[in-house]
Amino acid sequence: MERILRHKEIFEIIPFDFRQNILYFPIRHHSPACSYHLLRTIEEYKPDCILVEGPENSNKLIPVLTDEETKLPIAFYYYYKDTQQLINEDAEDYKCYYPFLNTSPEYNALVQARKRNIDCGFIDLPYGEILIHTEKSKGILREKEVSNYNDDYYLSESRFFNAVCEKTGMRSFEEFWENYFEINGLYMETDEFVANMMTYCYLTRENTPKELMEADGCLIREKFMAENILKSAETHQRVLVVTGGFHTYGLYQLTSANKKEKKLKIHNFNEKVQNVYAMIYSFEAADALNGYASGMQNPGFYDKVWKGIAEGDGNVSEVYENVVMDTLLKCAKESGKEKLLITMSDISSAVSIYRGLCSIRNKKAPGLYELYDSVQSCFVKGELNASSDLPLRILSEIATGSEIGSLCSTAEKIPVIQDFEEQCRKYRLKVDNVAEQEIELDIFSKPAHMEISRLFYRMSYLKTEFAKRTKGADIINNKDRSRIRETWSYKRTVNTDSALIDVSVYGAAIEEVCRTMSARQIKDEQKCSDAAKLYVECFLMGIDISEKFEVKLDEIIINDGDFFSLGKGLYYFNMLDTLKKMYNAKGIVTEYFLEKCFNKIIIMLPSMMDVNAEYANECIKICRMMYNLVTGDVLHKEYDTLFDAFRLMIEKDDPEPSLYGAVLGLLYGSENAYKENIRQALNGYLTGSEEIKKQGAVFLRGLFSTARDIVLVGNEFIVTTNKLISEFETEDFMEILPELRLAFSYFTPSEIDSIAEKVALLYGKSKEEVKKNIELYSALYAEGIRLEKDILKEFSEE
């Protein structure tokens, strides 16, 4: 491999001569070794202008990036709104990140320009222009990638690397890169390192089809960058160009050619269509976002390497050894905190292994991959699996790093992010690191907790991925409604800030943004279910609803002819009515909308009796909810109207069995005389054909969902049901068994016990005898008996 990289003729192809007007320095994004040799190059070349690969429209952010007060990692956040449909007919919004770490050569180059008070700037096409010149699913539009600007995937995915990987026996591009460039590169002179970089990048480019470079916008970007380079060379004597190594040869060809090219024209988009902001970033996001494709993995580990290089005053021989040892000891310490004992003998063995692997792999010093291998060998106890890989997970967290950056005071303050940060400070929410936090909110007794809850709901509505409710009443999804406390987990991530930037056009404060967006959303809604859900969300967010919102909501209900949409709307309005009473809220209209939905559903109810089986359960839920509303205090005056509709439903010919059973059950709950109707219906199923009998099981499921007490009173229903079931042949019985299981799932364990006793009496046996005759796997039965005894013992002790 060394023979391939030390290609003596490379400087004849791409000169690296400090006497040149234009000097090209190839890099890999976020590489400490590249930054190390770049600084040495700047010191010797003494440029009067430094040009860096990056969208030209982010030049305004260089002072923020290089400010001493700015703490990395940060990122430039680009967005482009394809309102003119220049990419495709979907007119989508696009966004991407350009992360900067302490190890980033681009960052270090710009910092040096500031310190030396020389000209500098980004030279690539603006973000929107790159998108426009990229084919679908290529380059920056690759669907498998999280949107990022960097394009180091060329170096790791080329046909050349595949051949190199096979020759060197490396497991991944990252391992190959660390060996030949990051570690061994620190022991080279700068011209040798640059020669290796240029050789690898040149051979990679030579093995990349031109059609691919055209499709992903690479060639047109290089043309634009070359124009900017030549323009700077006209007014500066020594221009240093810092770009991804893949572009070096292409740029050199374009700038060294004597022929004049037609200048590339670009669009003049305003800031509403295209803009860029500086935002905080994290090591965690940099690692997950870039991965193999762009920049270094495990940024926390290489950040420590870079600090060791910076503090070493030119002596880099022990940097990796020190970082690997420190990381190993930290991994052992953190494993101990998780009750996994790592002994001194384990640590000593790990040191011996990573040093031995370093020698075998012909590396100047141990690196991250020797560290991982040694931890797996010495810290993982037994076979590697999900229950034993704790040390590796801890090592991964350490290597990734947990730092979050911050912007200098002169950075442009995006009002909605500023409001978010102020609220976090006000409520003492910890958002200065990537560790997930948890908080329990007593929303009914502590006003501040209510405000925090509203903030979390607002952030959820804005899709910021900031907060997630882990416990508490889930009104939207009808879960755990009895809980009065809420438990939330929260964590500030890159997506939090980018989502807030996306919606910053709707207001300067989070509450204002939510109010504006919900008002815009209601205008586009057509379904009662979606509009009512939004109404509940606004209540939970503490957003005051305007009169226009409620007028539009009324219009949506009038125009919506979807039974199921109206049914969901009825559920949301009912929940909102409950919430209003719990919170003692004023100004929320619920009774009007409840009645409006209810009356529309009543008209449609009889026609639903022949609904498809797949929608029957939803119909039953709606009927049961309406029954609860009229038998309670909310819509008691509609009692007669609903039961008139139920009576019309059961008179329909060929009804859907489960819905038929459920409605009969609801009528029986109101008037005991309907027990006779149920008996007649069940007898009808008993005396019908085999297919009709099978529908009897479906009928039972519906009946038990609304009137299971009919089985518990007396023995008549048990006898009839038993007759229905016992008349089936084995094959037919197995066919209806799933329906029967669902039917009896509505009963509590104690009720099942009571039913079992009645069934046993039909056959002249006790329930204990029946249990013993049930054919079960003996081990499963024994385990059930043991578990039952343990539970009874636990209850008795309590």
Side-chain angles (χ1 to χ4, degrees):
M1 185 62 217
E2 285 79 359
R3 183 178 62 80
I4 295 174
L5 288 180
R6 290 170 185 169
H7 189 18
K8 294 181 180 180
E9 297 178 351
I10 189 63
F11 284 156
E12 296 177 12
I13 301 172
I14 315 171
F16 187 73
D17 187 342
F18 290 153
R19 295 170 295 180
Q20 289 180 287
N21 175 217
I22 302 172
L23 183 67
Y24 289 95
F25 192 95
I27 64 164
R28 184 189 177 197
H29 303 288
H30 316 315
S31 162
C34 288
S35 286
Y36 171 68
H37 287 289
L38 176 60
L39 294 183
R40 297 177 75 178
T41 297
I42 292 172
E43 185 64 33
E44 188 167 350
Y45 183 54
K46 294 181 173 53
D48 52 7
C49 178
I50 297 178
L51 303 179
V52 174
E53 179 188 345
E56 186 184 52
N57 60 322
S58 49
N59 279 326
K60 64 182 181 179
L61 297 178
I62 291 177
V64 174
L65 174 65
T66 59
D67 194 295
E68 292 181 355
E69 192 183 346
T70 295
K71 176 188 172 185
L72 269 56
I74 70 163
F76 290 170
Y77 173 80
Y78 301 87
Y79 73 77
Y80 168 71
K81 300 179 182 295
D82 191 28
T83 54
Q84 298 180 34
Q85 299 178 323
L86 299 174
I87 298 175
N88 55 50
E89 296 178 354
D90 297 333
E92 295 177 301
D93 295 345
Y94 297 86
K95 62 182 180 182
C96 81
Y97 306 94
Y98 187 172
F100 294 93
L101 313 180
N102 291 309
T103 58
S104 302
E106 305 95 323
Y107 165 73
N108 286 295
L110 294 170
V111 168
Q112 285 298 311
R114 177 182 60 78
K115 288 181 178 180
R116 295 166 184 268
N117 196 28
I118 61 176
D119 290 341
C120 64
F122 293 107
I123 55 173
D124 202 352
L125 281 170
Y127 173 57
E129 210 70 38
I130 297 175
L131 290 166
I132 292 167
H133 289 93
T134 301
E135 290 185 13
K136 183 180 179 181
S137 302
K138 303 293 183 182
I140 204 168
L141 289 174
R142 297 207 307 178
E143 294 177 0
K144 68 176 183 178
E145 296 285 328
V146 177
S147 295
N148 59 12
Y149 164 76
N150 297 337
D151 53 10
D152 274 339
Y153 58 83
Y154 279 120
L155 302 183
S156 61
E157 297 179 7
S158 70
R159 291 179 293 185
F160 172 65
F161 169 70
N162 292 333
V164 168
C165 193
E166 184 177 338
K167 289 287 186 183
T168 58
M170 295 294 173
R171 292 167 290 185
S172 67
F173 173 73
E174 294 298 329
E175 186 177 10
F176 160 79
W177 179 269
E178 185 187 69
N179 186 355
Y180 290 102
F181 289 95
E182 291 305 322
I183 296 177
N184 291 356
L186 294 182
Y187 295 83
M188 299 176 184
E189 293 299 322
T190 296
D191 58 350
E192 182 184 11
F193 177 82
V194 172
N196 283 357
M197 277 289 298
M198 284 185 173
T199 301
Y200 181 81
C201 296
Y202 172 76
L203 292 174
T204 298
R205 188 182 181 101
E206 286 295 288
N207 283 273
T208 302
K210 184 179 179 180
E211 298 77 21
L212 174 61
M213 291 189 284
E214 288 178 344
D216 65 10
C218 174
L219 298 184
I220 198 164
R221 288 174 55 201
E222 289 176 354
K223 181 180 178 182
F224 186 78
M225 286 192 277
E227 288 178 3
N228 282 326
I229 293 167
L230 290 172
K231 184 178 179 181
S232 293
E234 291 174 357
T235 55
H236 297 88
Q237 292 183 347
R238 293 179 302 281
V239 179
L240 178 62
V241 181
V242 181
T243 66
F246 187 84
H247 299 296
T248 304
Y249 179 61
L251 292 173
Y252 175 73
Q253 279 189 312
L254 289 169
T255 54
S256 60
N258 292 323
K259 60 179 182 179
K260 287 190 176 181
E261 296 283 347
K262 187 178 180 181
K263 189 173 181 181
L264 184 66
K265 291 184 178 181
I266 63 173
H267 298 83
N268 185 25
F269 297 123
N270 61 44
E271 291 189 350
K272 290 184 178 180
V273 174
Q274 175 177 262
N275 207 350
V276 54
Y277 294 97
M279 58 178 284
I280 66 168
Y281 214 65
S282 67
F283 281 148
E284 181 185 50
D287 188 37
L289 173 65
N290 293 326
Y292 289 103
S294 303
M296 306 291 291
Q297 283 191 323
N298 302 291
F301 177 85
Y302 291 108
D303 186 71
K304 293 184 178 68
V305 169
W306 177 244
K307 288 176 180 176
I309 292 172
E311 295 167 0
D313 296 326
N315 180 17
V316 296
S317 59
E318 297 181 355
V319 168
Y320 271 91
E321 178 80 38
N322 292 339
V323 173
V324 168
M325 176 62 81
D326 289 346
T327 308
L328 180 73
L329 293 174
K330 188 172 183 180
C331 180
K333 182 179 179 181
E334 295 300 319
S335 297
K337 290 180 180 179
E338 298 294 331
K339 305 293 189 296
L340 178 63
L341 178 62
I342 304 296
T343 66
M344 287 304 299
S345 176
D346 294 330
I347 296 172
S348 178
S349 296
V351 172
S352 297
I353 286 177
Y354 73 60
R355 286 176 176 168
L357 290 172
C358 171
S359 177
I360 293 171
R361 294 169 181 172
N362 195 29
K363 297 175 77 169
K364 300 287 187 182
L368 186 63
Y369 295 88
E370 288 68 44
L371 176 58
Y372 267 101
D373 291 338
S374 64
V375 167
Q376 181 173 333
S377 297
C378 303
F379 289 7
V380 175
K381 309 300 182 181
E383 183 181 353
L384 178 63
N385 52 47
S387 61
S388 65
D389 68 349
L390 177 64
L392 289 175
R393 284 187 277 118
I394 290 174
L395 176 58
S396 179
E397 290 174 3
I398 296 169
T400 297
S402 59
E403 287 85 343
I404 278 185
S406 61
L407 297 173
C408 61
S409 55
T410 59
E412 179 184 2
K413 300 295 184 182
I414 301 170
V416 70
I417 292 182
Q418 196 171 2
D419 177 60
F420 166 69
E421 291 175 342
E422 287 174 359
Q423 291 195 60
C424 288
R425 282 192 293 270
K426 177 181 178 181
Y427 299 122
R428 298 180 181 179
L429 301 176
K430 299 176 182 178
V431 293
D432 56 350
N433 61 63
V434 297
E436 189 169 73
Q437 308 292 325
E438 187 173 87
I439 185 171
E440 185 178 271
L441 304 177
D442 193 347
I443 56 178
F444 291 107
S445 62
K446 298 180 179 179
H449 283 198
M450 174 65 78
E451 292 303 315
I452 295 172
S453 175
R454 286 174 172 171
L455 172 63
F456 287 160
Y457 276 115
R458 290 169 187 172
M459 295 296 284
S460 297
Y461 175 71
L462 298 177
K463 296 180 173 59
T464 61
E465 300 179 17
F466 174 64
K468 181 181 180 181
R469 187 189 57 255
T470 55
K471 294 179 184 177
D474 184 355
I475 303 301
I476 300 296
N477 297 307
N478 195 21
K479 296 178 180 177
D480 300 325
R481 284 170 22 197
S482 60
R483 293 181 180 270
I484 61 172
R485 287 187 177 87
E486 294 178 346
T487 303
W488 292 78
S489 61
Y490 66 92
K491 173 182 172 182
R492 185 178 187 177
T493 66
V494 172
N495 288 337
T496 303
D497 287 59
S498 63
L500 289 175
I501 292 173
D502 285 342
V503 299
S504 60
V505 295
Y506 297 117
I510 292 172
E511 182 179 354
E512 181 187 358
V513 169
C514 291
R515 184 183 300 109
T516 303
M517 287 184 65
S518 60
R520 291 169 64 95
Q521 184 180 342
I522 194 67
K523 290 180 181 180
D524 298 327
E525 296 293 3
Q526 296 180 342
K527 292 289 186 182
C528 174
S529 54
D530 297 331
K533 179 183 177 183
L534 179 60
Y535 201 10
V536 175
E537 288 177 325
C538 288
F539 179 86
L540 295 172
M541 291 189 288
I543 301 297
D544 293 332
I545 299 299
S546 67
E547 185 178 342
K548 290 182 179 179
F549 186 108
E550 291 175 341
V551 169
K552 177 62 179 177
L553 185 54
D554 189 30
E555 180 185 323
I556 291 170
I557 296 172
I558 292 171
N559 294 328
D560 193 353
D562 186 330
F563 176 83
F564 298 102
S565 173
L566 290 165
K568 286 183 180 179
L570 186 67
Y571 161 74
Y572 286 127
F573 290 129
N574 184 32
M575 288 301 99
L576 190 57
D577 187 67
T578 304
L579 285 172
K580 184 177 76 169
K581 293 169 182 174
M582 288 173 61
Y583 288 72
N584 194 25
K586 307 295 183 184
I588 299 294
V589 179
T590 53
E591 295 87 350
Y592 174 80
F593 293 124
L594 271 170
E595 288 185 22
K596 198 90 174 179
C597 277
F598 188 92
N599 289 327
K600 284 208 71 173
I601 294 171
I602 282 287
I603 298 171
M604 299 180 186
L605 261 182
S607 65
M608 300 307 294
M609 211 57 194
D610 58 354
V611 70
N612 290 336
E614 58 184 305
Y615 300 114
N617 282 340
E618 195 62 34
C619 282
I620 292 171
K621 289 179 183 178
I622 294 170
C623 290
R624 201 164 52 209
M625 176 173 53
M626 297 174 77
Y627 175 88
N628 291 332
L629 286 171
V630 300
T631 55
D633 298 329
V634 181
L635 293 175
H636 186 69
K637 61 182 180 179
E638 303 291 346
Y639 182 95
D640 292 336
T641 308
L642 177 63
F643 281 93
D644 286 343
F646 283 167
R647 292 184 189 100
L648 286 174
M649 291 176 77
I650 64 171
E651 292 173 3
K652 292 283 185 179
D653 295 330
D654 195 22
E656 198 287 324
S658 64
L659 182 56
Y660 182 41
V663 174
L664 275 174
L666 292 172
L667 287 167
Y668 167 73
S670 173
E671 192 174 335
N672 195 58
Y674 279 95
K675 184 175 182 179
E676 178 61 23
N677 295 72
I678 295 172
R679 187 187 65 77
Q680 289 176 4
L682 194 53
N683 282 333
Y685 288 112
L686 273 171
T687 57
S689 64
E690 288 300 314
E691 288 304 314
I692 296 295
K693 288 179 181 177
K694 290 176 184 177
Q695 290 183 12
V698 182
F699 171 82
L700 289 177
R701 173 165 59 82
L703 178 65
F704 292 168
S705 70
T706 58
R708 68 179 191 271
D709 58 312
I710 196 170
V711 183
L712 305 174
V713 180
N715 290 329
E716 181 186 356
F717 198 82
I718 291 288
V719 173
T720 309
T721 304
N722 180 66
K723 185 178 179 183
L724 173 67
I725 295 172
S726 61
E727 288 187 358
F728 285 107
E729 297 292 337
T730 302
E731 185 177 339
D732 291 333
F733 176 74
M734 294 305 294
E735 186 178 337
I736 67 165
L737 185 57
E739 284 292 346
L740 291 173
R741 287 183 181 276
L742 287 173
F744 283 94
S745 67
Y746 291 105
F747 295 94
T748 65
S750 61
E751 290 171 343
I752 291 289
D753 212 37
S754 175
I755 294 170
E757 189 169 4
K758 291 181 178 182
V759 172
L761 289 174
L762 284 179
Y763 292 91
K765 297 181 180 293
S766 66
K767 64 179 181 180
E768 287 75 16
E769 289 177 295
V770 173
K771 283 182 181 179
K772 288 180 181 179
N773 289 330
I774 297 175
E775 292 184 6
L776 290 172
Y777 291 110
S778 57
L780 180 63
Y781 183 74
E783 179 64 17
I785 295 296
R786 185 198 64 76
L787 187 61
E788 185 179 41
K789 289 180 180 178
D790 290 345
I791 292 172
L792 291 173
K793 181 182 178 182
E794 186 74 24
F795 276 131
S796 64
E797 289 176 355
E798 289 185 3

